[in-house]
Amino acid sequence: SRADLRKERGDSRFWAPLACDWGFYEPLMSGSIDGTDEMPHDRAVARAMQAKYKPNEQVKGDPKATVFVARLSPNTTNDTLKAAFSRLGRVVRCRVVRDIGQPIRASTGLGMASY
């Protein structure tokens, strides 16, 4: 049971960074204040418990070497973003996220730079 797992780990304050400390993510325990919940307290937790992660095969780059940036100017381009991050090291890949639902493909204000 979850209570036994909590005792086994020996720390009643374990609910904070589960994935980092234990190497796995348990949505029910993460959503619980003290980690003892046995039933999902809302539909979002129930959905998370049933979810299976399948990585997108088209995504490229190393997540540990990628910087995510937000609140970019709508005028920011891939080139200006790359120029800004090139001052910190060799940029392998850089892109500004654009809204493909807009006719002009407006910037969402988000971007990524991979080193």
Side-chain angles (χ1 to χ4, degrees):
S1 81
R2 286 177 176 73
D4 293 335
L5 184 59
R6 187 172 132 226
K7 288 177 187 172
E8 179 183 315
R9 298 296 179 178
D11 185 4
S12 63
R13 296 168 290 135
F14 75 97
W15 57 271
L18 283 177
C20 295
D21 293 347
W22 293 4
F24 69 90
Y25 172 69
E26 172 61 49
L28 185 57
M29 294 168 109
S30 296
S32 171
I33 290 182
D34 62 0
T36 60
D37 288 359
E38 297 288 333
M39 298 292 294
H41 55 275
D42 64 27
R43 288 192 312 257
V45 172
R47 281 192 311 270
M49 291 173 68
Q50 300 300 319
K52 301 286 185 231
Y53 176 69
K54 182 180 175 194
N56 184 339
E57 300 293 329
Q58 296 177 356
V59 173
K60 298 175 184 163
D62 179 6
K64 294 179 181 174
T66 302
V67 178
F68 173 80
V69 291
R71 300 185 67 174
L72 294 172
S73 162
N75 301 325
T76 303
T77 65
N78 290 344
D79 293 334
T80 58
L81 189 62
K82 186 171 186 173
F85 279 96
S86 291
R87 290 183 274 168
L88 303 173
R90 188 176 140 279
V91 176
V92 175
R93 191 173 291 105
C94 193
R95 88 178 182 104
V96 173
V97 179
R98 302 217 170 262
D99 186 352
I100 61 172
Q102 300 266 337
I104 59 169
R105 294 182 53 99
S107 169
T108 61
L110 307 173
M112 286 158 265
S114 298
Y115 290 92

